[in-house]
Amino acid sequence: MRRIVAFSFLLLSLLLAEQSAAQQKPAPDKAASSAEKKPRKLTRRERKELAKRAEIETAGQQARPLSERDREMSESFFVDGVKYVLLEDYNKALERLLKAYALNPTNAAINYKIAETNLLSGNLKDATNFAQSAVKLDPKNAYYYLLLAQIYTSQKQYDDAAKVYTSLIHDVPGSNYYLFNLADLYMAQGKLDEALATFDQAEKQFGPIDEVSFKKQQIYLKQNKLDKALQEGESLIKANPEEVRYVLAQAELYASNNRPADAIRVANQALKQDPDNPQARMILADVYRQQGNAAESEKQIKLAFESPALDIDDKVRILVDYIRQLPNPKLNATALDLAGITMRVHPKEAKAFAVAGDIQIITENKKDARDSYLKAIHLDNSKFQIWQQVVLIDAELNQIDSLQRHTDQALELFPNQASLWFYNGVAHLLKKEPTKGVKSLEYGRKLATDNPELLAQFDTQLGDAYHELKDYPKSDAAYEAALAFDANNAQALNNYSYYLSLRGEKLDKAKEMSGKLVKQFPDNDTYLDTYAWVLYKLKDYNGARQYLEKALKTSTDGNVIEHYGDVLFQLGQKEQALTEWQRAKKTGEASALIDRKIKEKKLYE
C-alpha cells in the first residue's frame, strides 16, 4: 500500500528559488566559527532596534528601483545571515538579514528567512509578520505556507494554521499531500468531523492508506461509532491480508468492546497466519479469563510466555500484576509456572530471575526464591534490593554461614548500606565471633544515625555482643540506648534482664524489665524462663518454680529444664532436681556444669 510522507519545510529552507545563483552559500570559516561566542536570544530592546533600523532603511529604498549594486549587497547580506542561522547565532543572523531586507524588502526569500530566524529566537510576533509577507510576495511557494502554519501552531492559533494549510492546498499546485497535515491538525483540535472529511478527501486523491485507516478508527471510537471503527479495521485486513498486525489490532478492538466471540475468531485468524504469535495468545487469554474459562486462559498465557517473541519486559509487567494479587490459592500455581517459564526462556535476563524470586517468596517458597535471586545477582550484581532479599532469607532460614558469606560479598559492592553491616554483625555473633561482630555493628551503627529504628536494633545487638566480651558497662549502655528509643523492645528487655541476673546485678531493675515482658507475653516460654531466673537470683524459689513450670508446658529447651532442676534443689527436692538435670543433659543444650551437678548431686553455679 502506498504511503504519503509530508516533507519538512525546514530541510529545504536555507536558500529558496527567489535568490539568484549569485546567492550560493560559502563554506563557513572554521576558525571564525570556533571563535564565536555561545548564541543567545535577542532581547526585546535589541529586536525593536533592529526592526526600526530596517524600517528606516526600507523607507529610503522603496522610492527608487533596486540597483544592481543594491541587489548584490542584499544577496551578500542574505548569504551572511544564512551562515549565522546555521551557526545558531540569531543575533548576528538577524542583523545581516534585516540589512538585506532594507535593500530589497519585496524579496520573498529574505522575508521568509527573517521569519524563520525570529521563530528560532523566540520572537513569534515578528516571525508571524514576516512569514505573512513571504506568502503574499510568493503565493506559490509551499515552504512559506508551512513556516507560517508552524508559527501559528507554536502560538496555539490552530484555526489560523488550518486556514494556512487550506490556502496552501488550494493555491499551490501539487500540494494535496498536505491534506494529511491539515487532518492531523483538526484531530489535535478535537475537530473530528473536519478531520474525517479531510482524510476522505486525501484518500480520494491518493487511494487507501493504512495509517489513515488507523486514525479514522481512533476518530470513530472517540465518536462512539464502534461499527464504523470495526468496518475500517476489516477493510485494512482485506486490503493487507499478509499483515498480521492489522488482524491483531482488530482482535484487540473486539476484545476491548465486549465482543468476545469476534475477538476469539480474529485472534485465531492471526494464529493461522503466525502460529507462534504471542500477542494473539495474550488476547485469547484475556478473553477466556473474562468469560470465566480459567483453564483455557491459563493455557493461552503459558503458550504466550513460551515464545521468545514476547518481550521480557512485557512478561515482567504481567508477572508484576500477578504479584499484586498474591498470595492467592487460585493464582499461586499459575504465577509460579509463568515465573519458571520466564526463567527458562530468558536465561540471560537478570530481571526474569528477580521477578521469579519475588513470586516465590510471596508464595512461601523461600529457598527457591533465594536461588532465583542469586541467579539474578550472577547476571547483574548491581541491584542492592536483590542482595537485601537474599540476606533477609538467610536470616529467616537461620543459615548463618550463608548469611555471613552473602553479607561479605554484598558489602564489597555496597559498603555504605547499614543494614548489610547489621546482618554481617549478627552472623558473626551467631558464629561465636563477638569481636568481629562488634566491629561490623559499630561501623554500621555510624551509617544508621538517620534511622532511629535501625539504630535501636544495632544497640540491641551490641548489648549482646559486649556481654559476650564481658565488657558489661558497654553492654548495659547499649541496652539502655535501645530502650530509650523503644521502652518495649522485647529483645533488649529480655536479654538485658537475663544478663543482669547472671551477674547478680541490678536485680530489681531486671525483675521490673522481665516482669513487663511476662505481662505482655504470658505464654512465651523464653520470657517466663528469664523472669523465673531473676526471681531465683532474688531467692524467690517458689515464685521461680511457678513460672518455670508454666514455661515447661511448651518448652523442651535444656537450659529451662536445668533451671527447673536448680530451683527444685534449692527447695530441698534433690532427687527431683537430679532427674531434671539428667533430662536437661539429654537435650544437649545444658550448661557446662551439668555433668558435675549430676555426678556429685550438688548445685553448682
Side-chain angles (χ1 to χ4, degrees):
M1 187 170 280
R2 292 179 300 142
R3 300 171 185 268
I4 302 298
V5 179
F7 295 98
S8 171
F9 70 89
L10 289 175
L11 297 177
L12 302 176
S13 62
L14 298 180
L15 292 174
L16 303 175
E18 284 75 1
Q19 296 297 345
S20 68
Q23 288 180 311
Q24 293 294 320
K25 174 168 59 76
D29 183 274
K30 292 185 179 179
S33 298
S34 62
E36 296 291 346
K37 293 184 179 179
K38 186 178 179 180
R40 64 177 179 83
K41 289 186 177 181
L42 294 175
T43 65
R44 181 177 296 181
R45 182 177 179 181
E46 288 170 330
R47 289 198 298 265
K48 285 185 176 180
E49 181 63 28
L50 287 170
K52 184 177 180 181
R53 286 166 52 191
E55 288 174 4
I56 294 171
E57 294 177 14
T58 301
Q61 294 291 332
Q62 286 177 337
R64 57 186 174 82
L66 185 69
S67 67
E68 182 64 21
R69 181 175 176 280
D70 287 345
R71 185 184 63 78
E72 291 176 355
M73 288 180 63
S74 175
E75 289 175 355
S76 177
F77 285 131
F78 179 85
V79 171
D80 243 8
V82 170
K83 178 185 74 173
Y84 283 115
V85 171
L86 292 173
L87 295 173
E88 298 183 3
D89 189 340
Y90 305 128
N91 190 348
K92 289 184 178 178
L94 277 174
E95 184 181 1
R96 269 63 169 187
L97 291 170
L98 286 170
K99 286 182 178 179
Y101 173 82
L103 291 166
N104 192 3
T106 59
N107 184 289
I110 295 174
N111 280 270
Y112 168 83
K113 205 65 189 176
I114 294 173
E116 183 188 50
T117 308
N118 275 301
L119 173 62
L120 293 171
S121 65
N123 181 12
L124 298 179
K125 182 179 178 181
D126 287 347
T128 304
N129 294 334
F130 281 101
Q132 288 172 339
S133 296
V135 170
K136 289 176 183 177
L137 289 167
D138 186 357
K140 298 300 180 183
N141 191 308
Y143 301 106
Y144 298 171
Y145 289 91
L146 292 174
L147 177 62
L148 182 57
Q150 183 185 8
I151 293 168
Y152 281 135
T153 302
S154 350
Q155 300 174 86
K156 297 186 173 19
Q157 296 176 5
Y158 301 119
D159 287 338
D160 289 329
K163 290 176 183 176
V164 172
Y165 277 118
T166 302
S167 297
L168 165 62
I169 295 162
H170 182 267
D171 295 339
V172 180
S175 295
N176 286 331
Y177 43 81
Y178 292 115
L179 284 165
F180 301 104
N181 301 62
L182 178 58
D184 286 341
L185 187 59
Y186 282 137
M187 283 187 70
Q189 292 178 269
K191 294 183 175 181
L192 303 182
D193 289 333
E194 290 88 338
L196 277 174
T198 307
F199 278 133
D200 287 340
Q201 187 180 349
E203 287 189 316
K204 287 178 184 177
Q205 294 282 331
F206 304 106
I209 300 168
D210 49 6
E211 286 86 353
V212 170
S213 291
F214 271 125
K215 289 178 180 179
K216 288 172 72 175
Q217 270 191 323
Q218 293 171 17
I219 294 172
Y220 288 135
L221 289 172
K222 288 179 181 178
Q223 294 177 328
N224 293 318
K225 297 177 180 177
L226 178 61
D227 289 340
K228 285 194 173 183
L230 291 169
Q231 182 182 345
E232 200 69 42
E234 294 293 349
S235 298
L236 266 175
I237 295 171
K238 186 177 180 180
N240 301 272
E242 76 289 350
E243 286 282 1
V244 71
R245 63 192 177 106
Y246 298 143
V247 182
L248 291 170
Q250 188 75 347
E252 287 181 343
L253 192 57
Y254 279 124
S256 61
N257 286 279
N258 199 27
R259 299 272 291 270
D262 288 320
I264 292 171
R265 171 180 59 80
V266 178
N268 281 320
Q269 180 182 337
L271 287 173
K272 288 179 182 176
Q273 294 177 244
D274 182 5
D276 297 322
N277 190 287
Q279 190 178 350
R281 299 286 182 191
M282 291 302 300
I283 293 170
L284 288 171
D286 191 48
V287 173
Y288 285 128
R289 180 185 58 78
Q290 291 177 17
Q291 290 183 323
N293 190 344
E296 190 61 29
S297 177
E298 183 177 335
K299 173 186 172 183
Q300 293 297 333
I301 196 171
K302 285 181 179 178
L303 287 170
F305 267 59
E306 289 284 358
S307 172
L310 184 60
D311 188 75
I312 178 64
D313 290 330
D314 292 329
K315 291 176 181 176
V316 168
R317 277 193 291 271
I318 294 167
L319 290 173
V320 169
D321 285 338
Y322 273 92
I323 288 172
R324 295 190 182 106
Q325 303 172 67
L326 298 178
N328 182 332
K330 294 181 180 179
L331 296 177
N332 288 349
T334 302
L336 287 167
D337 288 345
L338 292 176
I341 294 170
T342 304
M343 290 187 287
R344 176 165 46 79
V345 176
H346 303 276
K348 301 298 183 184
E349 290 282 358
K351 63 184 75 172
F353 294 95
V355 73
D358 291 343
I359 289 173
Q360 289 161 340
I361 199 168
I362 292 172
T363 54
E364 297 297 325
N365 294 280
K366 292 185 175 121
K367 289 185 179 179
D368 290 339
R370 184 176 58 182
D371 290 342
S372 296
Y373 287 135
L374 287 172
K375 288 175 183 175
I377 286 171
H378 178 72
L379 293 167
D380 179 4
N381 65 4
S382 66
K383 303 295 187 296
F384 167 70
Q385 293 82 355
I386 300 178
W387 282 102
Q388 189 175 44
Q389 289 289 68
V390 169
V391 167
L392 290 173
I393 295 173
D394 286 338
E396 192 168 348
L397 296 176
N398 200 31
Q399 296 188 355
I400 309 310
D401 289 338
S402 295
L403 181 62
Q404 182 187 327
R405 182 173 66 257
H406 292 144
T407 51
D408 283 342
Q409 292 170 349
L411 283 168
E412 292 181 8
L413 298 167
F414 309 100
N416 294 324
Q417 289 293 338
S419 61
L420 293 177
W421 288 104
F422 175 81
Y423 282 107
N424 186 259
V426 169
H428 283 300
L429 291 185
L430 293 172
K431 293 185 72 173
K432 306 299 181 184
E433 299 171 345
T435 302
K436 292 181 179 179
V438 165
K439 185 177 179 181
S440 293
L441 291 168
E442 288 287 10
Y443 187 87
R445 190 183 188 282
K446 294 175 184 177
L447 300 173
T449 52
D450 60 343
N451 187 338
E453 186 173 351
L454 181 57
L455 202 61
Q457 293 181 44
F458 272 106
D459 287 328
T460 302
Q461 294 298 327
L462 282 167
D464 294 350
Y466 280 122
H467 171 81
E468 292 297 320
L469 293 173
K470 295 182 171 32
D471 191 340
Y472 302 131
K474 285 188 178 179
S475 175
D476 291 355
Y479 285 132
E480 293 287 354
L483 291 169
F485 172 75
D486 179 7
N488 294 312
N489 183 324
Q491 183 180 343
L493 288 170
N494 182 72
N495 293 8
Y496 191 14
S497 57
Y498 184 67
Y499 292 147
L500 286 176
S501 71
L502 292 181
R503 287 152 47 192
E505 298 176 5
K506 305 176 186 175
L507 292 177
D508 289 337
K509 182 179 181 67
K511 181 180 178 181
E512 179 186 351
M513 290 190 293
S514 57
K516 183 178 182 179
L517 271 181
V518 168
K519 285 181 181 178
Q520 289 180 304
F521 307 97
D523 298 319
N524 185 296
D525 50 46
T526 299
Y527 301 156
L528 289 167
D529 174 61
T530 297
Y531 188 57
W533 199 243
V534 173
L535 294 177
Y536 176 88
K537 288 291 187 174
L538 288 167
K539 303 188 184 307
D540 182 359
Y541 302 124
N542 284 317
R545 177 178 183 170
Q546 175 188 344
Y547 284 97
L548 283 169
E549 287 177 348
K550 189 174 181 181
L552 286 169
K553 289 179 181 179
T554 56
S555 176
T556 57
D557 185 274
N559 286 298
V560 178
I561 298 170
E562 184 178 358
H563 286 166
Y564 185 49
D566 293 352
V567 168
L568 291 175
F569 189 91
Q570 293 287 13
L571 290 171
Q573 299 178 24
K574 296 182 180 179
E575 290 303 320
Q576 293 95 321
L578 179 60
T579 299
E580 296 301 323
W581 288 338
Q582 290 170 337
R583 191 158 70 95
K585 178 179 172 61
K586 290 179 182 178
T587 66
E589 298 173 336
S591 73
L593 296 171
I594 192 67
D595 288 332
R596 191 174 176 190
K597 290 178 182 180
I598 294 170
K599 182 179 180 182
E600 300 182 17
K601 300 181 181 179
K602 285 185 178 182
L603 177 62
Y604 290 98
E605 296 180 326

